[in-house]
Every structure is written in structure tokens, then in C-alpha cells.
Amino acid sequence: MHTLETLPFDNAFARLPSTFYTRLAPEPLPRPYLVAASAEVAGLIGLDPAELTRPEFPQIFAGNQLLPGSEPLAAVYSGHQFGMWAGQLGDGRAHLLGEIAGPGRGWEIQLKGAGQTPYSRFADGRAVLRSSIREYLCSEAMAALGIPTTRALCVVGSDAPVRRETIETAAVVTRLAPSFIRFGSFEHWRATRQMDTLRQLADYVIDRFRPECRDAATPYDALLRDVGRRTGELIAHWQAVGFMHGVMNTDNMSILGLTLDYGPFGFMDTFDAGHICNHSDDHGRYSYKSQPQIGHWNLYALGRALAPLIGEQGAVQAAIEESYAPAFERHFMDLMRAKLGLTQALPGDEDFIGETFGLLQDHHPDYTQFFRQLGRLPAQVDEAGRVAADAPLRDLFIDRAAADAWLGMWRARLGAEARPDAERQATMQAVNPKYVLRNWIAESAIRAARSGDYSEVHAVHACLSRPFDEQPEYERFAAPPPEWAAGLAVSCSS
Ligand code: AMP
Ligand code: MG
């Protein structure tokens, strides 16, 4: 177990040429205090959980004291924002401290909100308490759901004012990931026609994270296929759990296929395929139903960037078409079958899953509750007991007849597989979360935190670290939005 002083830094990204970044120290934040910290994430880097309670901890993760061995830097990248080329962006408010060598893979540690960098453009380099708590809670909730994501070690707050739509207070969230390299990191070197640098970045990613691509006949082609497959699987997972990222710009797309840059994300409450979780997304480019095609679009942006390394355009197109959509479809079907309690792939499953989304779209039940309650129903019912047995699911519908008709189809499909009820119900509860980070839950934790009470942040974190378990003490977090939350809106402002 390490102390803060003995964390074994080995900063591979900082050993790349200085064209990739600017070295600079974080900007101090006055009187930082700890809002929340994760012992589990500390464990990923071998940090003794007792270290989280040291007085130095908030100073270090506010950026006021440097960890020995760290070499802080901000990386440059570019990207497409809302479908338009945005040119150079970069870590405008992120400081990469370095990488902790681990027994398996290393973990990079990054402060988000620790002040301006050469890539801040006209912004202040800060993050607010609200968005930092959202990123912290959602990173950890996604990890517990089994969805690839960057992790969050802690949130440190300060009373320093930060101007957004209103005056808020500053915070820093500390993130961990094997790498924060984005699609936009590659687009940057392609757009500035620096092909040697582009190749160097691709080699770095392959050598460090995807050594199997090196053995392929065409390594860069293999890398694009790897990203295509992982991105397809990632977005399949988002769709299955009802997660909307909100800002799928290419600068927010991880080259490792992780969920990256939590902003105006949302989890589906009452189902609506057209739901737009980002209030600033006027045209719904990043609506729930658009996410799969946006993933595809983003891969083409990456493919154009990698094209000089891969060769002809035909090869780029083949790499994307043979990786992304097949991976998405395969993974999405597998995840949906599991959510429905089905183990075998049978002809007609696509139609049945389509019918299921049709039912959800027509009747708007709560998405999370729909699957959770379905997992409680028996495979067989007699007519006399049916209404009582099906009540957990039927009660989510105003039109009970529509639910009954669909349940008839579901039972017919279940009948094609013989599995004991108890076993099927247990496996369904293990894939259909009871608890997700609904906006209203994040908001209520944020409101308490603003008045200095962090207990709700800790409670939400604890609850969402076991999203599939019944937790009677947190029953309140399983509820759909209460009336006060009806008008909640989240925007790009963070
Ligand atoms: P985002 O929409 O948060 O992914 O950010 C897009 C770009 O704007 C990235 O280059 C960020 O680093 C930068 N950015 C966002 N907010 C700030 C801020 N408050 N200060 C400096 N840069 C920012
Ligand atoms: Mg971003």
C-alpha cells in the first residue's frame, strides 16, 4: 500500500515529445475541502485508504501541492463539436499529473478544474461543484454497472466563486484512466498535417494499450478496427442501460472506448427514444436514439485522421464498417436478451426486441423500473392469478391491455427456453439495475452539498456502487423523478 508520497509515478505520456502537451503546474485553489473520495478507486493505484483522511489530501487534489514524481501537463487535441470542425481545443481545464505504475496496467491521474492552460481559450479553467459531483457520481455508477469508463478518485471544493449562468463555487474532480487520449487527439495532427507526430501518437497507443495490433498485418488498420469494436460495444451498453452522454463530440470520444467527459449526461426516466438530455443540444444531435449513428459518424472522423497511416480510403471504410456496427448489434442484442431473461439467440429476437421498444415508446413507462419489475414476474401464470402476479409491471402502464399483450409475447418467447423461474429471475436482477444516477438524485445530492452537507453525495455513491442489489436503506433512490424535479435541465455549462 502506498502513501501519497510513495505513489510510483512512471509518466509515459510525459516522455512523448513536447509537441503533444504543455507542462505547467495547476493553479492553487483557496481553502480546499474534501467533498467525497472513493476508497475503491484509491485501491486501483494501491493508495492506502487511510490517506484519504489526511489534511494534505484536499490540498494535493486541489492542485495546491504537487505529488512527488508527478509532471503536470495539459495535452493538445482538436475535434468536431456538434458536427462542425472546431479546430484546436485541448485540456483547457485539465492537468495530467502523471501515471501510476501498477501490477497490471498503469493509471493516469488527472485534475479537472485546476485552472487555466494554454488551451483554455477564453474560459476560466475551472469546474463548478455541481458538475464535479455529477462526474464523480456518474463515473463510479457506470463502473459499477460494468460499463467502460474513466474513474473518479475524489471531489475537492472551495468557496472560490465561479461564474456560469449564476455564480457558483469551484471544485476539482480527480479522474483516473489508463489514458485520456481522444479521437480528437488524432484529428489534431491530421488537420495540422504533421504526419510523423500522428504516427507517433498511434504508435504510443498501440505499444502501450493495444500491443496485439502490432502483430497484425497492418497495425494502424487494426487499431481503427479495435476502436470501432470497442466504441460499438460501449454505445450498445449505453443504449441498453438508458444512458445518454449528451455531448458526443469527437474530443469527448476515448480512443480506449471508455465513457469520457461527463457533462450534461442523463439516464432515461420515462422512456422516449427521442429524449435529448443536453438542454444546449437544440437539434437533438445527441438524443438517445441518435447515439449509435453518432458513434459511426465519429469513427469516420477518426478514420479520416488515421487515413494517411492506413492507406486508401477503401481500407478505412472497410475497417469501420466491419467493426463498429457488427460489434454494436451483437452486443446490443446480447445485452437486451439478458435484460429480458433470455439466454439463447433465436430467429425472431430482433423483431421481439423491436416490439419491446415499440411498447416502451408508445406507453412511456420508467425504463429502469420496466426491466427491474419484469425480473420479478413468473414465466407462467394462470388466468385467475395473472393480474396479481403481473401487477409490478402492469402498474407502470396506464394502458394495462398493452402491457398484457406484450407480456403474452414475452411469455411465449420465454417458453422457447426451459429455465427455472428462480434462476432466470436472479440473472435478470443481476443485469437490470434497480439504481441508476437519475438527474433528480444527482440534483438532490448537489443541493445538500451546496449547503455543506456531503452525506447525500456519499449515500448516492454507496448506493450506486451496488446498483443491482436490493438496498432497503436506499429505496428512495429507486424512485422516478419527484414533482419538484420535473423541470430539471442540464446544459453544457459546467
Ligand atoms: P467540453 O465540452 O467540456 O468537453 O469542453 C470542450 C473544450 O472546452 C475542451 O477543450 C475543454 O478543455 C474546454 N473547456 C470547457 N470548459 C472550460 C473551462 N471552464 N475553462 C477552460 N476550458 C474549458
Ligand atoms: Mg471534453
Side-chain angles (χ1 to χ4, degrees), residues 71-142:
E71 299 172 89
L73 60 83
V76 68
Y77 54 82
S78 291
H80 281 86
Q81 298 186 316
F82 291 90
M84 315 266 266
W85 177 242
Q88 181 181 307
L89 301 164
D91 289 334
R93 51 168 169 175
H95 290 71
L96 183 67
L97 297 183
E99 180 176 340
I100 307 300
R105 55 179 178 179
W107 288 95
E108 288 188 334
I109 307 184
Q110 189 188 64
L111 305 182
K112 179 170 174 181
Q116 286 176 314
T117 77
Y119 316 110
S120 301
R121 294 171 291 158
F122 300 104
D124 58 11
R126 291 298 178 190
V128 295
L129 182 65
R130 164 178 55 84
S131 64
S132 304
I133 289 174
R134 283 172 55 87
E135 174 140 15
Y136 174 79
L137 291 176
C138 200
S139 311
E140 294 312 292
M142 294 290 269

Side-chain angles (χ1 to χ4, degrees), residues 335-483:
L335 291 167
M336 292 312 302
R337 269 192 210 95
K339 288 178 79 66
L340 291 162
L342 309 172
T343 53
Q344 297 166 22
L346 295 181
D349 282 355
E350 253 166 74
D351 289 344
F352 176 57
I353 289 166
E355 288 282 349
T356 304
F357 277 97
L359 175 86
L360 296 173
Q361 184 63 25
D362 289 345
H363 299 278
H364 308 294
D366 184 89
Y367 184 73
T368 303
Q369 288 191 344
F370 176 84
F371 289 99
R372 187 73 183 181
Q373 300 296 21
L374 184 66
R376 297 171 58 192
L377 305 195
Q380 273 160 18
V381 282
D382 54 31
E383 193 45 40
R386 183 179 64 81
V387 167
D390 288 351
L393 189 106
R394 290 178 95 236
D395 290 352
L396 300 175
F397 288 77
I398 294 167
D399 183 348
R400 305 286 208 281
D404 290 341
W406 181 84
L407 280 168
M409 285 192 276
W410 177 65
R411 290 203 161 99
R413 175 60 185 81
L414 275 186
E417 308 181 8
R419 251 211 311 174
D421 261 359
E423 181 195 312
R424 175 185 49 79
Q425 288 166 345
T427 56
M428 286 178 76
Q429 301 310 66
V431 295
N432 290 315
K434 174 158 178 158
Y435 304 101
V436 293
L437 184 58
R438 299 169 184 270
N439 260 341
W440 80 261
I441 294 171
E443 180 64 23
S444 66
I446 289 162
R447 287 184 186 181
R450 279 180 171 153
S451 57
D453 173 6
Y454 310 123
S455 62
E456 199 71 350
V457 174
H458 303 161
V460 174
H461 180 247
C463 172
L464 297 183
S465 69
R466 297 162 52 206
F468 304 108
D469 294 354
E470 294 290 333
Q471 302 176 66
E473 69 277 31
Y474 296 131
E475 193 63 32
R476 65 188 189 280
F477 296 143
E483 226 158 88

Side-chain angles (χ1 to χ4, degrees), residues 38-47 140 151-154 174 176 461:
S38 163
E40 183 192 334
V41 175
L44 296 176
I45 50 173
L47 182 65
E140 294 312 292
R151 304 297 299 265
L153 174 66
C154 61
T174 297
L176 265 63
H461 180 247

